[in-house]
Amino acid sequence: MARTVTAEGIVKKRGRRVTAQQVAPYVFVSPFVVSFLVFLVYPLYQAFLLSFQQLIPFTQYADWVGLDNYRRVVADPMFRIALWNVARYAFWTCVILIPVPMLLAFIVNSKMTRFKNLLRSMYFIPVLTSTVIAGIVFQHMFSSEPTGAFNELLGIFGIAPVRWLMQGNTAMFALVIIAVWRWLGVNMIYFLAGLNNIPTEIYESAEVDGATGLKKFWHITMPMLKPITIFVLTISITAGFSMFNEAFVYWGVMSPNNIGLTIVIMIYRAAFQLNDFGYAATLGVSLFVIVLVANLIQLKFMGLFREE
């Protein structure tokens, strides 16, 4: 018996074929979606839920306390000190780690610069170094003793030794220095990637019109690097407010007069020293909201939400 092929059968086959093609992209992105849900959304949901509870240590029982933990955060003077510390740290790291890497990337990418690959490697090496090892080295360099590297440098100019890690302003300087040393090369690589996507014809047209290197940098490079700048600024703000490693290797969880206290250190102390997991979760949710608001403000300022 001859097989009858109807128009309806053809439509169904074509429909199944189109459906398979539509499903294929979702199959490829599913590992990312699953990872995002499991490792970000679910922990955030659990932290938000735990922030309204008071967990009884070493048990599975928890008391619902409502907004009491959030009232504790608002009234906690240590939280205000930690917030002020990380806000200053984020500000200074953004001030340095945005324009300086951009300028260095422009110089390294210049046709007149030699040994470009060597320079890229030299700037990128610090990020491969362990934060703990780097922190120990910088801790000795910032030693209050006259034999400390920075105090020896000051001694050349006849300046008395400074207690770097015992005072607020010098402690912040020490934190920013290690951050700049570690992340300068990474940000430069980001900007180099952006520079490589700028068409050379734009620079050539500017040179024909008599534009100098500074004018090309100001009127061409900076506007074309705006997406990269927004990205680097976003991750810098996030890293600044969530800073932990640098302060921990300098002082541990206790610093003199809380000059190295950060919100993440407060979370660590609340969870693993005081077993107050509800308050630790509240601090984590508060940090998430602060970082989110700070980034939304900078995105608004950078014109990301502006209609072209």
Side-chain angles (χ1 to χ4, degrees):
M1 181 182 293
R3 186 175 181 179
T4 305
V5 179
T6 63
E8 183 180 357
I10 296 176
V11 171
K12 287 183 178 179
K13 287 185 178 181
R14 289 180 179 177
R16 285 196 296 269
R17 185 184 307 166
V18 171
T19 301
Q21 293 175 351
Q22 290 176 343
V23 169
Y26 296 98
V27 173
F28 287 112
V29 301
S30 60
F32 168 76
V33 174
V34 172
S35 301
F36 177 77
L37 293 175
V38 172
F39 296 107
L40 183 63
V41 176
Y42 180 73
L44 182 61
Y45 166 74
Q46 288 293 331
F48 181 74
L49 189 64
L50 184 59
S51 68
F52 295 100
Q53 304 176 50
Q54 185 65 45
L55 187 65
I56 300 175
F58 309 111
T59 69
Q60 296 181 351
Y61 300 101
D63 293 330
W64 186 267
V65 295
L67 296 175
D68 286 354
N69 286 329
Y70 289 95
R71 296 189 186 98
R72 286 180 58 189
V73 170
V74 174
D76 193 346
M78 293 294 101
F79 179 77
R80 291 193 290 270
I81 294 174
L83 181 59
W84 172 242
N85 288 339
V86 295
R88 287 190 299 153
Y89 176 80
F91 172 78
W92 286 115
T93 51
C94 289
V95 166
I96 298 173
L97 289 176
I98 301 296
V100 176
M102 183 187 297
L103 182 59
L104 287 176
F106 182 75
I107 294 173
V108 171
N109 197 58
S110 174
K111 296 179 180 179
M112 301 179 62
T113 303
R114 302 177 62 184
F115 309 109
K116 294 182 179 181
N117 292 332
L118 177 62
L119 291 175
R120 291 191 183 100
S121 301
M122 289 176 58
Y123 282 115
F124 193 77
I125 285 175
V127 78
L128 303 178
T129 307
S130 169
T131 306
V132 176
I133 296 175
I136 293 173
V137 172
F138 274 90
Q139 188 181 45
H140 287 287
M141 293 176 65
F142 283 110
S143 172
S144 301
E145 301 297 327
T147 55
F150 286 95
N151 279 336
E152 284 189 351
L153 181 62
L154 293 178
I156 298 176
F157 302 96
I159 302 176
V162 176
R163 303 175 66 194
W164 295 98
L165 301 180
M166 305 297 290
Q167 307 171 104
N169 292 333
T170 55
M172 182 57 60
F173 175 77
L175 287 171
V176 173
I177 284 295
I178 190 174
V180 171
W181 172 83
R182 184 170 177 80
W183 299 111
L184 182 68
V186 177
N187 289 356
M188 187 190 73
I189 296 298
Y190 289 142
F191 285 115
L192 275 173
L195 286 173
N196 291 330
N197 291 326
I198 300 177
T200 57
E201 292 80 5
I202 300 178
Y203 289 111
E204 293 173 355
S205 300
E207 290 175 358
V208 172
D209 294 335
T212 61
L214 183 60
K215 288 185 177 179
K216 288 190 293 184
F217 178 78
W218 185 260
H219 295 287
I220 299 176
T221 305
M222 287 189 63
M224 296 292 288
L225 288 178
K226 184 178 178 180
I228 302 296
T229 304
I230 292 175
F231 170 75
V232 174
L233 185 57
T234 301
I235 62 175
S236 298
I237 291 174
T238 303
F241 278 95
S242 58
M243 184 260 291
F244 174 80
N245 291 337
E246 293 81 356
F248 188 81
V249 296
Y250 276 153
W251 300 284
V253 295
M254 299 296 294
S255 56
N257 296 322
N258 295 311
I259 57 177
L261 182 64
T262 70
I263 299 177
V264 180
I265 287 180
M266 287 190 66
I267 297 173
Y268 177 88
R269 287 164 57 176
F272 301 109
Q273 290 187 342
L274 303 177
N275 293 321
D276 195 350
F277 294 100
Y279 190 58
T282 307
L283 290 169
V285 173
S286 301
L287 176 60
F288 171 78
V289 173
I290 291 170
V291 171
L292 179 63
V293 171
N295 276 314
L296 287 176
I297 291 174
Q298 69 90 4
L299 291 175
K300 178 68 175 179
F301 178 78
M302 295 293 288
L304 187 65
F305 305 126
R306 189 181 307 151
E307 295 184 0
E308 299 294 341

